[in-house]
Amino acid sequence: MQDSSHRRSPALILITDDSKMIRQMGRESLEQSGFEVVEAEDGEECVRSFRESGPDLVLLDVEMPKVDGFTACEEIRQSERGAQTPVLMMTGRNDLDSIRRAYEAGATDFSAKPVNWTIIGQRVRYMLRMNEVLDDLRRSQERLARAQRIARLGNWELDLAAQRFTASEELCRLYGLGPSEGELSLEVLLDRVHVDDRGPVRNAVERCASEGTAFSVDHRVNLPGGRLRNLHLQADAIPDEAGRPIALSGTAQDITDRKRAEEEIRFLAYHDGLTRLANRRLFSERLRFALAHARRHRETVAVLFLDLDHFKRINDTLGHTVGDLFLQRVADRLKNCVRESDCVSRVVEDSVGATVSRFGGDEFMVALSSIQNSDELGQVAQRILDAMARPFELDGNDVVITASIGIAVAPEDGEDVDSLIRNADAAMFEAKNQSRGTYKFYELAMNEVPHENLQLESDLRKALDRSELLLHYQPKVELAGGRVVGFEALARWQHPKLGMIPPDTFVPVAEQAGLIVPLGEFVLRSACSQVREWREMGLPPLRISVNLSAHQFRTEELVETVTRVLRETPVSPRCLDVEITESAMMQNQKVTVSVLQKLKGIGITVSLDDFGTGYSSLSYLKGFPVDTVKIDRSFVRDLMTDPDDAAITAAIISMAKTLNLRVTAEGVETEEQLAFLRAHGCDEMQGYLFSPPMPADRATEMLREMLPAEPSSGSDD
Ligand code: C2E
Ligand code: MG
Ligand code: MG
């Protein structure tokens, strides 16, 4: 990138002499050498002409009337352009004093009179070329300085023999060294380094100087006002012929922003970003530590599980931003309560703050150690409940909320982290059930339901391997044409002793037992294989809907699984629809939405299941990656008897239309319901009226009967 726009061709020379003859000779000679010439007959005219014509070089006589050459040269040097223009002074006085004065006035070079006009052309050409080289160098230095400023990177060099330290402007700035700092040296630089980092930096420099070992070291620099800057310093030795270091050459780069980001990432791995409380991982780690400590010293540790009552209402009525703010305030109050409390000495010896944690949503955990008795624990719980019950001032609104707390104490209620948390959760659940805004201690009976499930859980583990799980298919019918456009795949469990178990019973067990991911993959794979089979039979392309549980959205892994299954079957993504319930969508919203967006990105459609039972806020729908809304069957059931349900159903349909969403009605059992839905513009229906869910072979038969005998090409997937 070379900028030579300022260079003129031919170059213009300003010749200044009070002798007309000399000007004439100069003009002829310079013009013959290919230059253009302007003339001035004294110093005053020279300065004026310089300003007007902007010559590339000035030939300047010293002795002239009015203003002499020295003064003219000084004036030329004052202007920005004049500072860089070569000036060749001509004088009849060949004494040292005049030469010195000429250079002091800023002359580039000096020529004694009489001037040898035959060679002046060569001389001028040489001076111009030199000036161009200097000009290039200046520009390149400017560019380098600019690049260093942008990269926040400076360079330095240390001449070992002369002990001379040089550094770029940016390097000085990075170390907070202004121009007033006096002479630059390695010591001046090291003085700026944070006292704890100075030793390692000095050692690295010294090793590099003595042994030639390159180094890179991160260190902090003290800036005015107590601020710190993080720098990455690196250097290498420059050796002489024998390989001994004669100089060090290095750079320093500002990495403050990167360091800050790294710290934030490290922090977020163990903390909740919203409230900055410990997250589940850190809490579990510290609780484990506290339990080990308590075991050795025969002490107790208590876990308090706090859940806000009806928190969802705040999000629904005041919006998520206020909801977030609210959670932060709750976190603050909780921290204060625990800090005030005298019995909370140390869950963990190194950090009292870590006793409080947010587990996500509106769930908080507190761990307390060295508690004397349950009365004391009850007092802490009550103190927390009282603190929560005081109104919160949020965005100009007074918000009142209650919380429910469940308490589990080690070792009686569990000796490890998981069982303590689980039992505190069960106690919290019980507190909510009995009356909100209270606390409850864990009792063995609370876990009876899960105990009952234990057998089912162990059976379910085997069921996956023993092919006891299967799918039933329920047709989805387009209201306009009465055509079957797809099927919903519904899981069934053929239990060897208990018979057919419905999904409402075993899906929650699978979720609790961590079996939902393999179960979900089984459903997905079976459903896709069924579509593939139908295609191979020559039946037209159908869309299959698969239900996904909220647990499957915990990680982004779902996208990989779906992609893999589609590829392996193989089935086109356009043949797959996923159903997710409204409440599942609202849990862990961020990840869920991101996963759904990815699924939609590959061509899969998304249906919002059981719509109307959860948040019922159509305004949320705008931001969500959803194609179809499925009106919950509870509304459809009472369409003809409950005017409210009829009104809600009509409203859902019309709102969905304005949002460009398709609407499916679930659980349609009667002709009247169907007529109502059709009249209001519902797109599809599903229900016993048309067909209950049925085994795969029945569904195949139905498709064969309904669809034209003409086999289709099968090119769709
Ligand atoms: P859903 O997704 O809302 O499925 C519709 C349910 O309504 C099915 O119950 C179906 O049999 C029933 N149904 C269909 N038509 C009618 C009707 O006209 N009247 C009445 N009263 N009911 C009707 P099912 O098969 O027992 O499934 C219950 C729920 O279990 C499903 O609700 C879904 O949320 C869940 N589920 C089913 N299969 C899976 C699965 O593979 N994975 C997951 N995560 N959940 C599943
Ligand atoms: Mg469904
Ligand atoms: Mg449903």
Side-chain angles (χ1 to χ4, degrees):
M1 201 175 63
Q2 192 144 31
D3 176 11
S4 50
S5 56
H6 62 291
R7 286 171 198 155
R8 179 174 20 208
S9 179
L12 180 68
I13 314 298
L14 168 60
I15 175 165
T16 308
D17 202 303
D18 52 342
S19 151
K20 191 171 178 197
M21 194 186 66
I22 289 185
R23 292 202 305 271
Q24 194 55 39
M25 282 164 70
R27 172 184 285 279
E28 271 171 31
S29 160
L30 288 167
E31 282 180 349
Q32 250 173 30
S33 301
F35 297 110
E36 268 180 15
V37 177
V38 282
E39 296 176 27
E41 60 180 41
D42 59 45
E44 205 176 83
E45 201 186 325
C46 170
V47 173
R48 194 179 333 111
S49 170
F50 184 88
R51 241 181 263 128
E52 285 161 10
S53 60
D56 299 296
L57 184 142
V58 181
L59 277 177
L60 186 57
D61 186 21
V62 169
E63 281 154 31
M64 290 178 294
K66 290 194 269 188
V67 174
D68 68 7
F70 297 133
T71 315
C73 185
E74 274 164 4
E75 277 190 38
I76 286 174
R77 287 293 184 235
Q78 305 283 317
S79 70
E80 197 188 330
R81 184 184 162 86
Q84 320 289 356
T85 309
V87 176
L88 178 61
M89 285 223 146
M90 312 174 286
T91 175
R93 285 193 283 162
N94 204 356
D95 57 297
L96 272 176
D97 193 46
S98 316
I99 297 171
R100 188 182 48 76
R101 277 206 62 194
Y103 283 127
E104 272 171 13
T108 314
D109 207 353
F110 176 87
S111 179
K113 276 183 166 179
V115 173
N116 181 346
W117 293 113
T118 49
I119 61 158
I120 195 75
Q122 287 307 323
R123 180 96 186 259
V124 162
R125 204 182 307 286
Y126 172 75
M127 284 179 74
L128 285 171
R129 201 179 311 137
M130 275 307 293
N131 198 48
E132 278 172 17
V133 170
L134 276 177
D135 209 36
D136 286 347
L137 184 64
R138 253 190 317 264
R139 275 161 199 282
S140 138
Q141 277 172 342
E142 272 168 23
R143 271 200 294 269
L144 180 64
R146 202 175 318 129
Q148 291 203 346
R149 233 174 4 252
I150 293 169
R152 303 173 74 78
L153 177 142
N155 70 303
W156 55 274
E157 216 167 295
L158 176 65
D159 180 331
L160 291 171
Q163 275 303 304
R164 199 176 56 240
F165 185 82
T166 46
S168 70
E169 221 174 273
E170 183 61 12
L171 188 115
C172 295
R173 206 191 59 73
L174 290 176
Y175 279 87
L177 298 167
S180 59
E181 234 66 35
E183 200 174 333
L184 207 55
S185 69
L186 185 62
E187 285 311 314
V188 169
L189 199 81
L190 283 169
D191 264 357
R192 288 302 170 127
V193 174
H194 189 282
V195 65
D196 295 345
D197 300 344
R198 208 173 286 156
V201 172
R202 190 188 291 279
N203 290 345
V205 172
E206 281 170 2
R207 264 196 73 199
C208 187
S210 59
E211 296 164 32
T213 353
F215 70 87
S216 67
V217 50
D218 290 352
H219 67 81
R220 288 159 297 171
V221 165
N222 299 309
L223 296 179
R227 282 179 309 128
L228 287 175
R229 173 176 285 152
N230 290 89
L231 294 184
H232 177 70
L233 178 74
Q234 60 186 126
D236 204 352
I238 302 171
D240 63 7
E241 276 161 16
R244 282 182 304 260
I246 49 167
L248 308 189
S249 167
T251 58
Q253 185 163 25
D254 189 346
I255 52 164
T256 312
D257 290 346
R258 197 189 79 199
K259 277 267 181 231
R260 208 171 288 144
E262 279 170 8
E263 270 160 30
E264 181 70 6
I265 290 167
R266 214 171 304 129
F267 181 83
L268 288 178
Y270 287 98
H271 295 85
D272 166 47
L274 182 68
T275 60
R276 319 223 33 105
L277 292 176
N279 64 10
R280 184 189 285 262
R281 184 193 295 168
L282 183 58
F283 181 83
S284 303
E285 240 169 60
R286 299 210 154 152
L287 180 56
R288 198 166 296 123
F289 186 86
L291 285 170
H293 182 272
R295 240 188 321 272
R296 277 196 304 277
H297 297 86
R298 302 187 179 285
E299 290 174 354
T300 53
V301 174
V303 170
L304 276 65
F305 195 129
L306 177 142
D307 189 290
L308 300 174
D309 300 328
H310 303 299
F311 170 66
K312 191 174 68 62
R313 275 194 212 147
I314 293 179
N315 267 342
D316 287 351
T317 51
L318 302 175
H320 286 255
T321 316
V322 177
D324 284 354
L325 189 69
F326 178 71
L327 290 171
Q328 287 167 343
R329 298 277 175 77
V330 167
D332 290 343
R333 280 195 193 175
L334 203 49
K335 268 190 297 195
N336 282 335
C337 282
V338 172
R339 209 171 284 139
E340 283 164 15
S341 118
D342 22 1
C343 70
V344 183
S345 46
R346 51 196 156 77
V347 161
V348 215
E349 275 131 324
D350 58 348
S351 162
V352 170
T355 54
V356 183
S357 153
R358 178 171 174 235
F359 265 37
D362 56 352
E363 292 176 354
F364 294 85
M365 278 285 187
V366 180
L368 305 173
S369 65
S370 304
I371 298 116
Q372 302 303 320
N373 52 47
S374 55
D375 284 353
E376 200 179 13
L377 204 46
Q379 281 163 18
V380 180
Q382 192 55 52
R383 174 152 51 209
I384 294 174
L385 292 177
D386 292 345
M388 294 301 144
R390 285 202 314 271
F392 287 85
E393 219 265 349
L394 286 177
D395 218 19
N397 303 291
D398 265 349
V399 178
V400 180
I401 204 163
T402 56
S404 303
I405 297 179
I407 308 170
V409 184
E412 301 92 285
D413 303 337
E415 296 189 55
D416 60 277
V417 171
D418 289 343
S419 44
L420 272 178
I421 292 177
R422 195 174 49 240
N423 292 341
D425 190 1
M428 186 278 293
F429 195 72
E430 201 54 34
K432 258 196 205 286
N433 266 349
Q434 291 192 357
S435 103
R436 288 161 198 262
T438 55
Y439 67 87
K440 197 114 194 90
F441 282 93
Y442 173 74
E443 289 160 24
L444 238 159
M446 289 173 183
N447 264 339
E448 260 168 19
V449 183
H451 270 284
E452 212 174 71
N453 280 346
L454 233 48
Q455 185 59 47
L456 213 55
E457 191 181 309
S458 117
D459 288 354
L460 188 58
R461 265 176 225 286
K462 294 174 204 142
L464 274 163
D465 297 330
R466 294 185 186 163
S467 312
E468 291 168 15
L469 290 167
L470 60 145
L471 295 186
H472 278 189
Y473 298 89
Q474 186 176 36
K476 291 188 174 183
V477 182
E478 199 172 54
L479 289 190
R483 232 164 28 102
V484 171
V485 286
F487 283 93
E488 175 171 5
L490 293 154
R492 300 286 179 264
W493 178 9
Q494 187 62 58
H495 192 282
K497 287 197 204 113
L498 303 173
M500 194 71 102
I501 301 183
D504 285 339
T505 308
F506 69 84
V507 168
V509 175
E511 284 171 346
Q512 224 178 5
L515 289 169
I516 193 69
V517 171
L519 181 118
E521 184 166 347
F522 163 82
V523 172
L524 188 68
R525 194 175 289 279
S526 312
C528 288
S529 305
Q530 188 57 64
V531 172
R532 178 81 214 157
E533 205 177 296
W534 285 332
R535 295 293 288 131
E536 277 167 2
M537 288 174 178
L539 299 166
L542 280 167
R543 178 165 289 157
I544 196 91
S545 298
V546 171
N547 292 284
L548 295 178
S549 140
H551 288 66
Q552 289 173 271
F553 285 88
R554 290 275 154 89
T555 66
E556 305 238 343
E557 215 180 279
L558 181 63
V559 182
E560 279 164 45
T561 309
V562 171
T563 318
R564 182 160 32 83
V565 170
L566 288 174
R567 192 182 53 235
E568 284 169 8
T569 331
V571 159
S572 156
R574 276 173 297 142
C575 294
L576 183 62
D577 175 75
V578 293
E579 293 193 4
I580 168 170
T581 62
E582 224 186 328
S583 53
M585 173 89 99
M586 302 308 287
Q587 283 176 34
N588 205 2
Q589 223 185 82
K590 242 183 163 156
V591 180
T592 307
V593 167
S594 140
V595 169
L596 288 177
Q597 257 152 0
K598 287 186 184 136
L599 292 177
K600 269 179 73 73
I602 52 180
I604 294 165
T605 55
V606 177
S607 298
L608 203 51
D609 209 350
D610 301 353
F611 189 79
T613 54
Y615 294 78
S616 310
S617 174
L618 279 155
S619 60
Y620 286 156
L621 281 181
K622 253 186 281 182
F624 286 159
V626 167
D627 302 278
T628 304
V629 171
K630 294 186 76 180
I631 306 177
D632 188 64
R633 58 180 179 275
S634 61
F635 296 104
V636 177
R637 186 186 57 215
D638 300 330
L639 263 187
M640 297 300 128
T641 49
D642 186 337
D644 283 350
D645 284 350
I648 291 169
T649 303
I652 293 177
I653 296 173
S654 81
M655 271 288 268
K657 295 275 133 185
T658 64
L659 293 169
N660 259 334
L661 299 171
R662 282 179 74 76
V663 185
T664 305
E666 304 176 330
V668 181
E669 297 184 354
T670 67
E671 290 292 349
E672 289 85 353
Q673 291 164 347
L674 179 62
F676 179 96
L677 292 163
R678 184 172 276 140
H680 284 84
C682 180
D683 299 295
E684 283 170 22
M685 71 93 141
Q686 204 181 330
Y688 295 166
L689 178 65
F690 188 83
S691 162
M694 56 200 152
D697 50 357
R698 254 302 292 142
T700 308
E701 241 171 77
M702 176 195 232
L703 280 176
R704 281 227 175 94
E705 283 164 18
M706 286 187 32
L707 297 162
E710 189 91 351
S712 98
S713 67
S715 62
D716 208 75
D717 44 0

